[in-house]
Amino acid sequence: MNEKKPKVWKLILVSWLFVYPAVNIMFVVLFPLLEEFNQLIKTLVFTLILVPVMGIVLPRLQRYFWNWITK
């Protein structure tokens, strides 16, 4: 089997194209609701939401763009 190796920079770009808007949306929506909490709590809540969503969405995005990623 001669599978093409993914280009790391393309994997990073696809990941960033999801993470950047997701983080900005979360800042706008989530942080006003948590403004009275300590920064550690804000970060905890932020990562408790973002990391599982990334675990679900990023593999799907990578599959969707796989032909381009391996080109």
Tab-separated table of all heavy atoms in Angstrom, residues 36-62:
chain	number	residue	atom	x	y	z
A	36	GLU	N	-18.084	37.365	36.149
A	36	GLU	CA	-17.895	37.483	37.593
A	36	GLU	C	-16.992	36.399	38.170
A	36	GLU	O	-16.599	36.477	39.324
A	36	GLU	CB	-19.254	37.442	38.296
A	36	GLU	CG	-20.128	38.635	37.947
A	36	GLU	CD	-21.477	38.569	38.639
A	36	GLU	OE1	-21.638	37.790	39.589
A	36	GLU	OE2	-22.368	39.316	38.203
A	37	PHE	N	-16.649	35.394	37.359
A	37	PHE	CA	-15.853	34.276	37.847
A	37	PHE	C	-14.357	34.553	37.710
A	37	PHE	O	-13.927	35.359	36.884
A	37	PHE	CB	-16.209	32.993	37.084
A	37	PHE	CG	-17.575	32.471	37.404
A	37	PHE	CD1	-18.661	32.832	36.624
A	37	PHE	CD2	-17.774	31.625	38.480
A	37	PHE	CE1	-19.933	32.364	36.913
A	37	PHE	CE2	-19.040	31.141	38.772
A	37	PHE	CZ	-20.121	31.514	37.991
A	38	ASN	N	-13.596	33.841	38.497
A	38	ASN	CA	-12.144	33.877	38.444
A	38	ASN	C	-11.676	33.410	37.068
A	38	ASN	O	-12.312	32.575	36.438
A	38	ASN	CB	-11.623	32.938	39.556
A	38	ASN	CG	-10.131	32.864	39.616
A	38	ASN	OD1	-9.469	32.532	38.645
A	38	ASN	ND2	-9.604	33.160	40.785
A	39	GLN	N	-10.507	33.924	36.624
A	39	GLN	CA	-9.970	33.556	35.308
A	39	GLN	C	-9.746	32.052	35.176
A	39	GLN	O	-9.941	31.486	34.109
A	39	GLN	CB	-8.654	34.309	35.040
A	39	GLN	CG	-8.105	34.093	33.654
A	39	GLN	CD	-9.042	34.598	32.566
A	39	GLN	OE1	-9.654	35.660	32.692
A	39	GLN	NE2	-9.170	33.837	31.495
A	40	LEU	N	-9.340	31.387	36.255
A	40	LEU	CA	-9.128	29.939	36.211
A	40	LEU	C	-10.436	29.196	35.914
A	40	LEU	O	-10.443	28.215	35.176
A	40	LEU	CB	-8.518	29.440	37.510
A	40	LEU	CG	-7.086	29.895	37.792
A	40	LEU	CD1	-6.663	29.455	39.187
A	40	LEU	CD2	-6.132	29.377	36.741
A	41	ILE	N	-11.525	29.669	36.481
A	41	ILE	CA	-12.837	29.055	36.231
A	41	ILE	C	-13.262	29.319	34.783
A	41	ILE	O	-13.780	28.424	34.110
A	41	ILE	CB	-13.903	29.582	37.218
A	41	ILE	CG1	-13.505	29.289	38.661
A	41	ILE	CG2	-15.280	29.037	36.890
A	41	ILE	CD1	-13.397	27.810	38.984
A	42	LYS	N	-13.035	30.541	34.296
A	42	LYS	CA	-13.372	30.860	32.906
A	42	LYS	C	-12.626	29.936	31.946
A	42	LYS	O	-13.211	29.393	31.006
A	42	LYS	CB	-13.013	32.310	32.587
A	42	LYS	CG	-13.862	33.346	33.258
A	42	LYS	CD	-13.356	34.710	32.865
A	42	LYS	CE	-14.038	35.806	33.637
A	42	LYS	NZ	-13.545	37.143	33.274
A	43	THR	N	-11.337	29.763	32.209
A	43	THR	CA	-10.522	28.906	31.343
A	43	THR	C	-10.967	27.451	31.437
A	43	THR	O	-10.997	26.736	30.430
A	43	THR	CB	-9.036	29.030	31.728
A	43	THR	OG1	-8.663	30.409	31.706
A	43	THR	CG2	-8.147	28.248	30.788
A	44	LEU	N	-11.321	27.007	32.640
A	44	LEU	CA	-11.802	25.639	32.824
A	44	LEU	C	-13.069	25.401	31.998
A	44	LEU	O	-13.161	24.424	31.245
A	44	LEU	CB	-12.073	25.365	34.305
A	44	LEU	CG	-12.710	24.012	34.626
A	44	LEU	CD1	-11.732	22.888	34.312
A	44	LEU	CD2	-13.152	23.966	36.072
A	45	VAL	N	-14.032	26.285	32.110
A	45	VAL	CA	-15.289	26.143	31.369
A	45	VAL	C	-15.018	26.204	29.858
A	45	VAL	O	-15.544	25.393	29.088
A	45	VAL	CB	-16.308	27.222	31.801
A	45	VAL	CG1	-17.538	27.222	30.900
A	45	VAL	CG2	-16.700	27.027	33.254
A	46	PHE	N	-14.181	27.147	29.456
A	46	PHE	CA	-13.835	27.318	28.049
A	46	PHE	C	-13.250	26.032	27.471
A	46	PHE	O	-13.676	25.560	26.425
A	46	PHE	CB	-12.830	28.477	27.946
A	46	PHE	CG	-12.464	28.861	26.552
A	46	PHE	CD1	-13.291	29.682	25.808
A	46	PHE	CD2	-11.283	28.429	25.990
A	46	PHE	CE1	-12.953	30.053	24.523
A	46	PHE	CE2	-10.934	28.794	24.711
A	46	PHE	CZ	-11.769	29.606	23.976
A	47	THR	N	-12.286	25.452	28.168
A	47	THR	CA	-11.640	24.234	27.661
A	47	THR	C	-12.536	23.013	27.786
A	47	THR	O	-12.447	22.103	26.956
A	47	THR	CB	-10.293	23.979	28.368
A	47	THR	OG1	-10.497	23.896	29.784
A	47	THR	CG2	-9.295	25.077	28.047
A	48	LEU	N	-13.402	22.975	28.794
A	48	LEU	CA	-14.352	21.865	28.922
A	48	LEU	C	-15.310	21.805	27.742
A	48	LEU	O	-15.802	20.737	27.383
A	48	LEU	CB	-15.147	21.971	30.226
A	48	LEU	CG	-14.442	21.530	31.502
A	48	LEU	CD1	-15.279	21.887	32.728
A	48	LEU	CD2	-14.141	20.040	31.469
A	49	ILE	N	-15.569	22.941	27.143
A	49	ILE	CA	-16.442	22.979	25.956
A	49	ILE	C	-15.625	22.790	24.679
A	49	ILE	O	-15.970	21.970	23.821
A	49	ILE	CB	-17.220	24.316	25.915
A	49	ILE	CG1	-18.174	24.393	27.096
A	49	ILE	CG2	-17.960	24.467	24.580
A	49	ILE	CD1	-18.809	25.750	27.301
A	50	LEU	N	-14.526	23.537	24.543
A	50	LEU	CA	-13.785	23.557	23.286
A	50	LEU	C	-13.113	22.227	22.949
A	50	LEU	O	-13.195	21.770	21.806
A	50	LEU	CB	-12.731	24.668	23.313
A	50	LEU	CG	-11.951	24.854	22.016
A	50	LEU	CD1	-12.873	25.233	20.862
A	50	LEU	CD2	-10.865	25.899	22.196
A	51	VAL	N	-12.474	21.596	23.904
A	51	VAL	CA	-11.708	20.374	23.607
A	51	VAL	C	-12.601	19.232	23.104
A	51	VAL	O	-12.290	18.619	22.081
A	51	VAL	CB	-10.840	19.963	24.811
A	51	VAL	CG1	-10.207	18.602	24.593
A	51	VAL	CG2	-9.764	21.021	25.077
A	52	PRO	N	-13.724	18.927	23.754
A	52	PRO	CA	-14.585	17.869	23.196
A	52	PRO	C	-15.152	18.223	21.814
A	52	PRO	O	-15.237	17.354	20.940
A	52	PRO	CB	-15.711	17.728	24.217
A	52	PRO	CG	-15.163	18.285	25.480
A	52	PRO	CD	-14.201	19.360	25.074
A	53	VAL	N	-15.507	19.490	21.615
A	53	VAL	CA	-16.024	19.901	20.300
A	53	VAL	C	-14.942	19.724	19.240
A	53	VAL	O	-15.210	19.235	18.140
A	53	VAL	CB	-16.549	21.355	20.346
A	53	VAL	CG1	-16.872	21.870	18.954
A	53	VAL	CG2	-17.776	21.441	21.249
A	54	MET	N	-13.703	20.092	19.583
A	54	MET	CA	-12.587	19.890	18.646
A	54	MET	C	-12.414	18.405	18.336
A	54	MET	O	-12.150	18.033	17.190
A	54	MET	CB	-11.287	20.434	19.240
A	54	MET	CG	-11.168	21.926	19.221
A	54	MET	SD	-9.685	22.511	20.073
A	54	MET	CE	-8.409	21.569	19.285
A	55	GLY	N	-12.552	17.558	19.348
A	55	GLY	CA	-12.392	16.120	19.154
A	55	GLY	C	-13.431	15.531	18.216
A	55	GLY	O	-13.187	14.524	17.564
A	56	ILE	N	-14.578	16.168	18.149
A	56	ILE	CA	-15.640	15.705	17.256
A	56	ILE	C	-15.508	16.331	15.869
A	56	ILE	O	-15.598	15.644	14.853
A	56	ILE	CB	-17.027	16.039	17.859
A	56	ILE	CG1	-17.240	15.233	19.146
A	56	ILE	CG2	-18.145	15.792	16.853
A	56	ILE	CD1	-18.406	15.705	19.978
A	57	VAL	N	-15.280	17.627	15.821
A	57	VAL	CA	-15.310	18.365	14.554
A	57	VAL	C	-14.029	18.199	13.737
A	57	VAL	O	-14.093	18.019	12.515
A	57	VAL	CB	-15.608	19.860	14.805
A	57	VAL	CG1	-15.502	20.665	13.530
A	57	VAL	CG2	-16.981	20.028	15.434
A	58	LEU	N	-12.868	18.273	14.372
A	58	LEU	CA	-11.613	18.236	13.606
A	58	LEU	C	-11.432	16.962	12.785
A	58	LEU	O	-11.042	17.053	11.614
A	58	LEU	CB	-10.410	18.476	14.521
A	58	LEU	CG	-10.207	19.929	14.933
A	58	LEU	CD1	-9.002	20.063	15.845
A	58	LEU	CD2	-10.080	20.842	13.741
A	59	PRO	N	-11.687	15.776	13.325
A	59	PRO	CA	-11.556	14.596	12.461
A	59	PRO	C	-12.485	14.639	11.245
A	59	PRO	O	-12.110	14.208	10.150
A	59	PRO	CB	-11.918	13.430	13.383
A	59	PRO	CG	-11.632	13.931	14.756
A	59	PRO	CD	-11.960	15.398	14.711
A	60	ARG	N	-13.669	15.182	11.414
A	60	ARG	CA	-14.608	15.294	10.288
A	60	ARG	C	-14.100	16.285	9.243
A	60	ARG	O	-14.195	16.038	8.040
A	60	ARG	CB	-15.983	15.704	10.788
A	60	ARG	CG	-16.636	14.621	11.598
A	60	ARG	CD	-17.959	15.040	12.145
A	60	ARG	NE	-18.487	13.965	12.993
A	60	ARG	CZ	-19.667	13.969	13.530
A	60	ARG	NH1	-20.486	14.985	13.331
A	60	ARG	NH2	-20.053	12.974	14.285
A	61	LEU	N	-13.563	17.411	9.723
A	61	LEU	CA	-13.004	18.389	8.784
A	61	LEU	C	-11.808	17.805	8.042
A	61	LEU	O	-11.649	18.015	6.839
A	61	LEU	CB	-12.565	19.658	9.529
A	61	LEU	CG	-13.632	20.667	9.859
A	61	LEU	CD1	-13.053	21.808	10.688
A	61	LEU	CD2	-14.275	21.213	8.603
A	62	GLN	N	-10.970	17.074	8.762
A	62	GLN	CA	-9.807	16.461	8.124
A	62	GLN	C	-10.238	15.438	7.077
A	62	GLN	O	-9.647	15.371	6.005
A	62	GLN	CB	-8.894	15.835	9.170
A	62	GLN	CG	-8.192	16.872	10.014
A	62	GLN	CD	-7.451	16.294	11.195
A	62	GLN	OE1	-7.548	15.104	11.504
A	62	GLN	NE2	-6.703	17.137	11.881
